[in-house]
Amino acid sequence: MGEKKTPQGSNVVVIGLGRFGGSVAGSLLDLGYEVLGIDTDPRIVQDWSDRLTHVVEGDATDEDVLRQLGVHDFPRAVVGIGTNLETSVLTVLTLTELGVPEIWAKATSVKHGKILSSVGADHVIYPEAEMGERVAHVISGRMLDYIEFDDGFAIAKVRAPQGAAGQTLAQLALRTKWGVTVVGTKRPGEDFVYARPETVIPAGAVLIVAGDTAKVEAYADEN
């Protein structure tokens, strides 16, 4: 196997390395991202010390602590804190004040989610519906959405390849080139179109592709 390609803008800070935050952090590592993990529990920090690029024990509601860690230079942050609403909200607020461009935050209720949005969270995650691995793929920007099933099968929504507009799916030949099947196409504001060989890919379209998890991910990597 070749060396894993590191994506552009590949630094992500994950705050709160519990079940959900840990799942996101681990999946981002698998995708080739460099992850800074922050948690207040020294046992969790120790558990992650051999896996993450950097992991520190610290209070993420303290702006000075985050500045010292260079969090303000990160393009994305994930807040996995869920049990303590006040800490969750204050952490998102601190990240917002630091100017982190893209903030993802876990919410345990609709009300919690609304508060997180109001203080600056760009994406609110309800982990009962969205597993950490799926969130990691979407955070990476490679996929617009992603669902993996237990038997190694995945479905993803990805942007159509550059230069694909005007081609038919038969001409694009993703099944031959990548081993993935195009289920359908969709343009913003228009209806989903089930894929047929003669389906023409419109400009600005997204493709819904399915297949073996590794092949879907490999296609998204190059897309």
Side-chain angles (χ1 to χ4, degrees):
M1 290 181 63
E3 190 172 316
K4 192 171 290 185
K5 184 175 65 176
T6 302
Q8 282 191 321
S10 58
N11 294 336
V12 181
V13 57
V14 178
I15 300 170
L17 295 169
R19 184 177 178 184
F20 175 74
S23 176
V24 173
S27 296
L28 286 169
L29 282 177
D30 292 341
L31 289 169
Y33 280 69
E34 294 182 4
V35 178
L36 166 63
I38 303 174
D39 202 288
T40 56
D41 188 332
R43 293 171 300 177
I44 291 177
V45 169
Q46 182 61 39
D47 287 344
W48 280 94
S49 61
D50 293 333
R51 294 191 59 200
L52 291 182
T53 315
H54 306 284
V55 59
V56 295
E57 180 186 347
D59 178 5
T61 66
D62 187 328
E63 185 172 336
D64 290 337
V65 169
L66 296 189
R67 281 195 181 279
Q68 289 172 13
L69 294 171
V71 170
H72 52 286
D73 292 326
F74 280 67
R76 304 178 188 88
V78 179
V79 179
I81 302 164
T83 54
N84 188 317
L85 190 146
E86 181 180 3
T87 302
S88 164
V89 172
L90 288 176
T91 298
V92 170
L93 182 60
T94 304
L95 291 168
T96 302
E97 291 175 343
L98 282 173
V100 175
E102 192 173 347
I103 302 169
W104 299 66
K106 169 186 173 180
T108 55
S109 68
V110 172
K111 181 178 284 187
H112 184 189
K114 287 180 178 179
I115 295 170
L116 292 174
S117 294
S118 71
V119 297
D122 302 290
H123 309 276
V124 175
I125 306 157
Y126 298 91
E128 292 78 14
E130 299 180 73
M131 297 304 292
E133 185 169 358
R134 177 183 176 188
V135 171
H137 279 89
V138 180
I139 287 172
S140 75
R142 300 173 182 181
M143 304 183 192
L144 303 175
D145 205 350
Y146 172 88
I147 301 172
E148 183 177 359
F149 298 89
D150 291 337
D151 57 357
F153 180 82
I155 296 175
K157 183 166 67 173
V158 298
R159 295 176 182 86
Q162 189 172 7
Q167 294 188 53
T168 66
L169 290 175
Q171 290 171 325
L172 196 60
L174 293 188
R175 186 169 182 81
T176 301
K177 295 175 184 176
W178 294 97
V180 298
T181 300
V182 179
V183 179
T185 67
K186 191 180 188 306
R187 288 185 65 187
E190 296 185 6
D191 291 338
F192 175 89
V193 176
Y194 284 99
R196 298 176 62 85
E198 63 270 22
T199 299
V200 176
I201 302 166
V206 296
L207 306 180
I208 293 78
V209 301
D212 176 84
T213 299
K215 291 179 180 178
V216 169
E217 291 180 355
Y219 171 66
D221 279 351
E222 297 295 330
N223 186 29

